């Protein structure tokens, strides 16, 4: 249940968890601190909130990278009248539409893994809707530091939000990039995803913080971009009938399960 802070630059932190290899973020200014993602249930959210309070007593804002439970079902621990909760347009509706199905699927997963307490916490987590919808790149002043919330394009979902910290040359990318495991294509748009990672790499950054795994260098993110481009090409070839699925699986940079999920014909 415990996590570990990594300081990426002055006042810019990633927090790593063994559970799902999750990575969340914290960016501190002189007036306000921005928490990036809130973990997967109220217990996990409270752990993160307490860990944040060990680093800063500033008023908080929260940015949700996307509506998957492990990134946002802990938001209730951060709710206060003075804490805006940012998300990209579509996140709120997706959360509303999918929360119960996510709850059922992942409670079952944790029960099957012999972790009934996590299943119970997930089953009872209060779903908090983001109250501040981002519709275009949005500068947020934290005091002595301005971050930009932006939607790099369709990819892991149709509403991914990234947080760019220009002075630290860091971007928190949510699940648009993943380190140490293949990306998750469950709700993905495989044809568009490479362009979203290109948009992240077009930022003046040296570090990309994934939603799962350790912070990545540009070279590591570029490698993932190449793999996502290969998947998009396989997807296109299967969709047009130029390639059968078995050949695509054989040519894929990712394991078979991941590839089959990515290649589903929509
Ligand atoms: Zn996700």
């Amino acid at each position: 249940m415990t996590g570990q802070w990594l300081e990426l630059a002055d006042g810019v932190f990633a927090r790593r968890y063994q559970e799902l290899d999750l990575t969340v973020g914290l960016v501190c200014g002189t007036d306000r601190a921005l928490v990036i993602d809130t973990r997967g249930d109220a217990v996990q959210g409270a752990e993160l909130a307490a860990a944040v309070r060990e680093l800063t007593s500033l008023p908080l804002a929260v940015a949700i990278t996307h509506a998957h439970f492990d990134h946002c079902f802990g938001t209730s621990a951060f709710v206060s009248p003075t804490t805006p909760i940012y998300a990209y347009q579509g996140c709120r509706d997706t959360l509303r539409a999918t929360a119960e199905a996510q709850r059922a699927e992942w409670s079952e997963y944790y029960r099957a893994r012999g972790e009934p307490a996590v299943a119970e916490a997930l089953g009872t987590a209060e779903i908090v809707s983001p109250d501040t919808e981002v519709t275009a790149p949005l500068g947020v002043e934290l005091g002595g530091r301005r971050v930009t919330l932006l939607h790099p394009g369709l990819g892991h979902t149709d509403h991914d939000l990234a947080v760019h910290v220009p002075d630290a040359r860091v971007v928190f990318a949510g699940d648009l990039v993943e380190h140490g495991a293949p990306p998750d294509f469950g709700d993905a748009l495989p044809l568009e995803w490479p362009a979203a990672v290109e948009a992240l790499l077009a930022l003046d950054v040296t570090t990309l913080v994934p939603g799962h795994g350790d912070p990545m260098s540009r070279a590591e993110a570029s490698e993932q971009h190449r793999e996502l481009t290969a998947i998009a090409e396989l997807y296109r070839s299967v969709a047009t009938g130029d390639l059968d699925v078995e050949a695509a699986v054989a040519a894929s940079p990712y394991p078979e399960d991941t590839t089959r999920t990515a290649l589903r014909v929509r």
Side-chain angles (χ1 to χ4, degrees):
M1 189 59 83
T2 53
Q4 188 193 357
W5 289 115
L6 307 176
E7 187 163 17
L8 307 175
D10 190 24
V12 180
F13 302 88
R15 187 167 174 82
R16 299 277 292 113
Y17 291 95
Q18 206 168 14
E19 181 58 41
L20 300 177
D21 206 18
L22 189 77
T23 307
V24 301
L26 175 69
V27 182
C28 301
T30 52
D31 301 333
R32 191 177 276 276
L34 178 69
V35 176
I36 300 148
D37 284 346
T38 61
R39 305 192 66 201
D41 61 44
V43 176
Q44 294 181 3
E47 181 280 339
L48 174 59
V52 166
R53 283 304 178 217
E54 286 175 10
L55 293 185
T56 179
S57 56
L58 289 171
L60 301 178
V62 172
I64 300 299
T65 60
H66 62 295
H68 288 158
F69 85 98
D70 44 333
H71 301 267
C72 66
F73 277 25
T75 302
S76 61
F78 295 89
V79 168
S80 102
T82 57
T83 302
I85 300 166
Y86 298 99
Y88 190 66
Q89 64 184 2
C91 183
R92 191 162 39 189
D93 289 347
T94 301
L95 188 56
R96 197 174 297 137
T98 65
E100 290 316 311
Q102 293 193 63
R103 201 199 284 283
E105 179 187 347
W106 287 91
S107 292
E108 180 54 38
Y109 166 87
Y110 283 112
R111 234 172 260 117
R113 274 196 4 163
E115 297 187 54
V118 180
E120 171 70 15
L122 181 53
T124 56
E126 180 196 350
I127 308 301
V128 176
S129 271
D131 60 11
T132 309
E133 202 164 66
V134 177
T135 57
L138 177 69
V140 176
E141 186 57 58
L142 300 178
R145 156 176 279 161
R146 190 178 170 85
V147 301
T148 304
L149 312 186
L150 66 127
H151 171 63
L154 306 173
H156 174 66
T157 69
D158 63 3
H159 59 266
D160 297 290
L161 179 80
V163 178
H164 183 208
V165 190
D167 68 279
R169 302 181 76 197
V170 170
V171 65
F172 291 86
D175 286 356
L176 282 167
V177 290
E178 194 157 331
H179 200 184
D184 170 27
F185 289 91
D187 295 318
L189 297 105
L191 288 173
E192 290 88 352
W193 196 337
V197 176
E198 263 166 56
L200 293 175
L201 286 165
L203 300 170
D204 179 22
V205 294
T206 54
T207 304
L208 297 90
V209 182
H212 303 268
D214 283 324
M216 300 165 83
S217 66
R218 291 185 66 88
E220 288 163 335
S222 297
E223 175 60 23
Q224 186 142 101
H225 175 258
R226 277 190 289 278
E227 294 167 356
L228 289 165
T229 301
I231 288 286
E233 283 165 7
L234 294 172
Y235 182 99
R236 203 175 287 115
S237 299
V238 169
T240 56
D242 291 334
L243 197 66
D244 67 41
V245 172
E246 298 313 315
V249 165
S252 172
Y254 294 133
E256 178 167 355
D257 279 3
T258 302
T259 305
R260 286 189 184 280
T261 304
L263 293 180
R264 72 195 178 282
V265 177
R266 288 177 296 168

